Amino acid sequence: MSPYEQLGFREIWCVDFEFYGGPGDLPEPVCMVAHELVAGRKIRMWRDELMSRRIPPYATDDDCMFVSYSATAELGCHLVLGWPFPANVLDLYAEFRCLTNGCSPPSGSGLLGALIYFGLDSMGAGEKQSMRELILTGGPWSDEERDAILEYCEGDVRALERLLPKMVGKFSLPHALLRGRYTKAATRMENTGVPIDMEALEALRANWFEIQDRMIIEVDKGFGVYEGRTFKIDRWDDYVTRQGIRWPRLPSGKPNLQEATFKDMAIAYPLIRSMHQLRSTLSKLKRLELAVGADGRNRCPLKCSRSSTNRNQPSSNKFIFTAPSWLRSLIKPGPGKGVAYIDWSQQEFGIAAFLSGDENMMAAYLSGDPYLAFAIQAGAVPPGATRETHWREREKFKSCVLAVQYGMEAWSLAQRIGCTEYEARELLNLHRKTYPKFWKWSQAVLDHAELRRKLWTTYGWYIHYPATINPRSVMNFPMQANGAEMMRLAACFGTERGVRVCAPVHDAFLIEFELAEEEEAIRTMQGAMQEASACVLGGYKLTTDVKVVRYPDRYMDKRGKTMWDLVWGIVGNLKG
Amino acid sequence: MTDDTKNKDFSMTDETKKEEDGGNQPTQRKNKYSLDDLRLTQDFESLGGSQKILTTVPIRKPDNQWFFRVRGGDYRAAVFVLEDNDSRKENYIVLPGIAPDIEAEIMRKTLHLAINRRGDLFLLPLKMPGPDGRTDRWQESMGQAIEMAETAWVRVKGNMGMSCYDIFQANGNLPDPQWPDMSFEDIFRIAVRDKIIDDENHPLLRSLRGEI
């Protein structure tokens, strides 16, 4: 039986599109090449032919399979052409990532890297800068250029033809098609994009460098650590010493100024939050490169399956939700519309509880307030305690839960909640004592990774551990990667049920709706998210929280409000 | 576990199939499986993992910072004990009739199986009344603590002025300890493995006789 027959489809189409488009714009298809592997048919089509069709020139029914490498690009062309999605999508990029996740293939995870990995001829495949530049000009192209572009496109299709037989048998087809199903959802999200207040964005763009200078001056008034645009480490050292903050240090003795450290410390010490936002803005947004199309939508490739936990990994300076949080206030629904930010309540805690089967932890999640429930279970507050009567203890236990999730040491927890290291250690011990089954399961996860050198999620995303393992990251893998599975399924259910999902955001989605349909859209998405959690957790449903923003209001992340107000004050002064 | 689909496998390599395989064909085509069918187990405990092996059970008093519980019923043994004062008061179990010449050095103690909040087991020795039936306040208070520890988490701390142990009971509604699934005989064997004096020429006995 040939590898293609083994797959059991009537037709298997390897497809590649070439396209162009500015940042944030929808793709403009230039050409398409498709090779059918069972009967050996070949199709080459130029832009005008593509635009004239209402359906693809290849079969997309349930008996056929569409094969691509990073399929959201091809499926994005389907959407702009008004073509239906194929019933079955096999994204070989996702499968290659799943196969090699954790192993760092020598030539990367691109199409070229996959070919080299399997010892295949890589000639004629992969990115050629000159051809990409030629395509991105948007034409017009001469006949020779047109032939060259088609040939370039067909090179990738031939590469897929070589790659597929090598990969058949190395992945589970049902799981691969489930991942393919997600690429359709991701394509819809990329296509929808996030509505942006263009007027505000233009005001920022027009004066971005000056705004940065003034942000430094304004924020630094309370710190005195900048000299021009230079952050002076010794001045920061003096500042934290004066404030009595025990700042984490490098082996050299100098303050550790890494983003993750700053982020942690900004949570522990709200007085340095504005400095964290400033530094984050200056490092991520040297230029304001947020990818916003001419239609006012923030769009960029979500880069599915890029991270080791199978989460999306969009660009940190092009995607609104990976930019500093104050910038999210640029999100603004258009007239007659609204957006809703829907997130799972304490998703990681819920996943840990239901996958480990720890009854205490499950009861804590189901109580609706796991942090207070933890404090009660640990005997730190009486059974009748409420958020109001014991808010201080609740905050402590909340920090402890989060510390466990982040793999934080007692020292860091002590910093965060302002207690002694001994108290923090006792608090962490309480978690172990209250949730022994979770810890036993967590240890079994670590043991499995150590002994078998791999782990997987409920829907078959694998990670391999060829070398030394980091216990904290291994023990956190089931929560992160199953959280990603939950996101993927919810994105499928939501988009397939007609919800306009603008973007996935770690454990949440931003959706958009006509105000008249607000209730139905939110209910449908919440249903999709609950159903997804039940799939991943063997029947247990996680609850969701909703934050709605209606025109003319703008989205506001509470962490970024002060900075947004500051920036907007600067913009006002510059205009005035 | 909440997972009822363990041992189902659709994964990619022969090696993986051997580990978790339910015998399904990994390349089988579309739509045959529901999402429920595709769900893989997260019960890594049942797939191997590891198990803590009990190798050490000290015979000791609880640290004054530990809260501990005592397992009642048959989880105790009356033994003859010889304390080695040269090595942090290690308790040695002396078999009856081995050393009649140093009987005065030997005490009768009951060893109770106990556990602290970290889950570490230990055998808690309690001196038994002498031939005259008398005991001291240290032993009385420890006996009281042991009795309480059968149903509650307690901590003991020496009170030199009163020549007894102060007993503290935990206020919180703490869960019961997880006792290992082992018989007392097995635990006892581990505890006394290298602490048994069953020969009159044991170095500790010879040392007490002044022979070495």
Side-chain angles (χ1 to χ4, degrees), chain A residues 33-338:
Chain A
V33 176
H35 286 187
E36 202 285 307
L37 306 183
V38 178
R41 290 171 58 202
K42 292 182 180 178
I43 302 170
R44 286 161 64 115
M45 278 190 179
W46 192 249
R47 178 176 167 76
D48 46 352
E49 290 175 278
L50 297 173
M51 304 292 261
S52 68
R53 296 188 65 91
R54 291 172 58 193
I55 56 167
Y58 38 79
T60 54
D61 63 79
D62 199 34
D63 207 18
C64 303
M65 185 164 71
F66 176 101
V67 182
S68 180
Y69 207 86
S70 294
T72 48
E74 278 61 50
L75 296 175
C77 290
H78 266 239
L79 278 186
V80 297
L81 290 166
W83 294 358
F85 277 156
N88 299 296
V89 174
L90 175 64
D91 186 343
L92 289 184
Y93 169 73
E95 297 322 302
F96 184 64
R97 282 281 303 118
C98 185
L99 183 67
T100 58
N101 188 26
C103 298
S104 305
S107 301
S109 297
L111 179 56
L112 205 61
L115 292 167
I116 293 168
Y117 181 89
F118 287 108
L120 296 167
D121 176 13
S122 57
M123 287 291 286
E127 290 261 310
K128 287 194 190 77
Q129 191 57 30
S130 57
M131 290 306 295
R132 284 304 304 152
E133 282 167 5
L134 177 62
I135 295 163
L136 288 173
T137 60
W141 296 280
S142 67
D143 287 350
E144 291 77 22
E145 286 172 334
R146 186 176 142 148
D147 287 346
I149 291 171
L150 273 165
E151 185 56 32
Y152 170 64
C153 186
E154 192 157 14
D156 281 359
V157 177
R158 289 194 202 102
L160 286 173
E161 271 189 85
R162 295 196 292 279
L163 189 58
L164 181 60
K166 283 281 184 187
M167 290 185 68
V168 169
K170 292 186 168 57
F171 56 82
S172 149
L173 186 63
H175 289 106
L177 293 181
L178 185 59
R179 283 187 278 273
R181 182 174 165 186
Y182 174 68
T183 61
K184 290 188 270 186
T187 306
R188 285 202 191 281
M189 292 190 285
E190 285 181 5
N191 179 278
T192 302
V194 180
I196 296 294
D197 178 350
M198 289 301 280
E199 203 181 318
L201 177 63
E202 287 311 324
L204 292 180
R205 277 179 172 161
N207 302 291
W208 185 233
F209 286 101
E210 195 153 359
I211 289 170
Q212 287 181 69
D213 284 339
R214 297 222 183 167
M215 280 169 81
I216 293 172
I217 294 167
E218 289 300 321
V219 173
D220 197 40
K221 277 179 185 167
F223 298 91
V225 297
Y226 271 90
E227 191 173 288
R229 279 189 160 237
T230 308
F231 182 91
K232 304 297 280 186
I233 299 173
D234 51 345
R235 290 187 192 175
W236 182 250
D237 207 357
D238 288 346
Y239 172 80
V240 292
T241 307
R242 278 199 312 276
Q243 296 296 330
I245 299 173
R246 279 178 63 199
W247 194 269
R249 293 184 180 273
L250 298 168
S252 64
K254 289 189 173 173
N256 181 342
L257 299 177
Q258 285 175 350
E259 161 64 13
T261 309
F262 235 104
K263 192 176 171 186
D264 266 358
M265 296 301 282
I267 294 169
Y269 297 96
L271 80 162
I272 63 161
R273 201 172 282 168
S274 58
M275 181 55 74
H276 169 241
Q277 289 262 339
L278 174 66
R279 282 176 54 86
S280 173
T281 302
L282 297 177
S283 71
K284 286 183 180 169
L285 298 175
K286 285 193 181 69
R287 283 172 299 195
L288 197 51
E289 287 178 325
L290 210 60
V292 180
D295 60 354
R297 317 286 296 192
N298 171 225
R299 291 189 192 91
C300 70
L302 291 173
K303 298 188 180 172
C304 313
S305 305
R306 185 68 67 99
S307 83
S308 62
T309 55
N310 202 14
R311 285 191 190 276
N312 308 303
Q313 208 167 58
S315 160
S316 64
N317 57 359
K318 292 189 171 60
F319 185 51
I320 189 89
F321 283 104
T322 48
S325 55
W326 67 268
L327 213 58
R328 295 181 188 181
S329 295
L330 285 173
I331 299 172
K332 187 175 175 182
K337 291 186 175 163

Side-chain angles (χ1 to χ4, degrees), chain A residues 359-432:
Chain A
E359 291 85 359
N360 282 348
M361 218 173 185
M362 286 157 71
Y365 185 84
L366 292 172
S367 75
D369 188 344
Y371 310 129
L372 189 61
F374 172 29
I376 294 170
Q377 288 168 332
V381 299
T386 66
R387 222 178 246 250
E388 288 71 34
T389 58
H390 291 80
W391 62 271
R392 207 185 299 270
E393 290 83 355
R394 183 183 178 276
E395 278 305 303
K396 256 190 191 178
F397 279 79
K398 178 181 177 181
S399 297
C400 176
V401 167
L402 298 177
V404 169
Q405 282 168 197
Y406 302 154
M408 210 180 262
E409 304 283 351
W411 187 85
S412 307
L413 177 59
Q415 284 282 318
R416 179 169 286 201
I417 59 178
C419 68
T420 64
E421 204 172 326
Y422 177 82
E423 283 173 301
R425 193 173 301 114
E426 283 301 297
L427 208 48
L428 289 171
N429 281 340
L430 273 181
H431 194 282
R432 285 183 176 269

Side-chain angles (χ1 to χ4, degrees), chain A residues 6-9 62-63 169-170 172-175 354-355 433 441 447 454 456 458 462 482 535-536 540, chain B residues 1-2 10-12 16 20 26-31 33 35 38-42 45 47 49-50 117:
Chain A
Q6 199 180 338
L7 291 166
F9 291 96
D62 199 34
D63 207 18
K170 292 186 168 57
S172 149
L173 186 63
H175 289 106
F354 295 115
L355 288 186
K433 288 167 188 167
W441 173 76
D447 289 343
K454 68 182 170 196
W456 59 86
T458 45
Y462 279 74
N482 284 305
C535 289
V536 172
Y540 291 99
Chain B
M1 292 299 297
T2 57
F10 303 89
S11 57
M12 47 198 155
T16 310
E20 307 120 27
T27 53
Q28 206 147 10
R29 58 158 303 181
K30 66 203 187 316
N31 294 345
Y33 306 103
L35 281 172
L38 292 182
R39 194 170 181 278
L40 301 180
T41 182
Q42 294 292 289
E45 278 178 86
L47 295 173
S50 67
R117 288 279 287 147

